[in-house]
Amino acid sequence: MRRIVAVALTTGALVAGLGAVATPAQAATTKKWETIDAFPHTRAWGQATKTSSKFTWKGSLKDGRKDGWTACVRFKAVEGDRYQTVRYIIVTSGGTAYDGPGIVSISGSSSYNGKLYVQECRRSKKTGQYQYANKKWRKIF
């Protein structure tokens, strides 16, 4: 009788232990994003995914013509009172800012996963200064 009880208790403990280890797959939510049309010839679009542990994003950044400005886009990930910004610009193979028609792929991630925003911007080829879309962030999540 003691052996049967011992086997039943051990089996119960193993099943409970496996239940604690086996977790369901992380639920992820994906949304499309696009910047507001703040600057002529600058555009960015793509999709972002939120999981319980991070944000990831990917997309395209487009500069429509040679006009003295390099197209750029930045993301802001917020969690509580902390935030992280990530900015992308189009660069040449030599690493200098590009001014002219072109499209590049962008991607990134942040472990701050409370809210995610995107903002269109551009960089002056002459001065290197950035202009942002009237400080307007577009909320993705």
Side-chain angles (χ1 to χ4, degrees), residues 11 33 44 46 48 54 59 61 67-68 79-80 88 92 94 101 103 114 121 123:
T11 304
W33 60 266
K54 68 179 180 176
L61 172 60
D67 58 359
E79 187 171 4
Y88 301 89
T92 65
I103 298 177
C121 54
R123 181 181 184 269

Side-chain angles (χ1 to χ4, degrees), residues 2 11 19-20 31 37-38 42-43 45 55 61 66-67 74 78 85 89 102-104 115 124 126:
R2 288 184 188 172
T11 304
K31 290 186 178 181
D37 194 16
T42 298
R43 186 167 172 254
W45 67 94
F55 284 122
L61 172 60
K66 186 173 184 168
D67 58 359
R74 69 179 181 169
V78 180
T85 58
I89 66 168
I103 298 177
V104 295
K115 295 179 183 173
S124 170
K126 185 176 180 180

Side-chain angles (χ1 to χ4, degrees), residues 1-10:
M1 185 70 165
R2 288 184 188 172
R3 287 183 192 160
I4 295 173
V5 172
V7 170
L9 289 175
T10 304

Side-chain angles (χ1 to χ4, degrees), residues 11 13 28 31 48 56 77 88 96 112 127 133-134 137-138:
T11 304
K31 290 186 178 181
T56 57
Y88 301 89
T96 60
Y112 292 173
T127 67
N134 298 324
W137 292 92
R138 176 171 271 182

Side-chain angles (χ1 to χ4, degrees), residues 29-139:
T29 304
T30 301
K31 290 186 178 181
K32 291 184 179 183
W33 60 266
E34 187 172 357
T35 55
I36 61 173
D37 194 16
F39 300 115
H41 316 295
T42 298
R43 186 167 172 254
W45 67 94
Q47 66 181 23
T49 302
K50 179 180 182 174
T51 66
S52 62
S53 61
K54 68 179 180 176
F55 284 122
T56 57
W57 56 84
K58 62 182 178 179
S60 299
L61 172 60
K62 178 181 179 181
D63 193 337
R65 73 173 194 190
K66 186 173 184 168
D67 58 359
W69 296 93
T70 301
C72 73
V73 64
R74 69 179 181 169
F75 292 85
K76 182 178 182 179
V78 180
E79 187 171 4
D81 61 350
R82 300 176 301 167
Y83 68 92
Q84 175 186 22
T85 58
V86 180
R87 181 175 52 211
Y88 301 89
I89 66 168
I90 301 176
V91 295
T92 65
S93 59
T96 60
Y98 175 78
D99 180 23
I103 298 177
V104 295
S105 295
I106 58 172
S107 64
S109 66
S110 175
S111 60
Y112 292 173
N113 68 336
K115 295 179 183 173
L116 182 65
Y117 303 90
V118 65
Q119 184 181 48
E120 188 175 298
C121 54
R122 64 185 185 174
R123 181 181 184 269
S124 170
K125 184 81 168 140
K126 185 176 180 180
T127 67
Q129 296 293 317
Y130 287 91
Q131 282 188 345
Y132 298 99
N134 298 324
K135 303 291 182 189
K136 292 182 182 177
W137 292 92
R138 176 171 271 182
K139 186 176 180 181

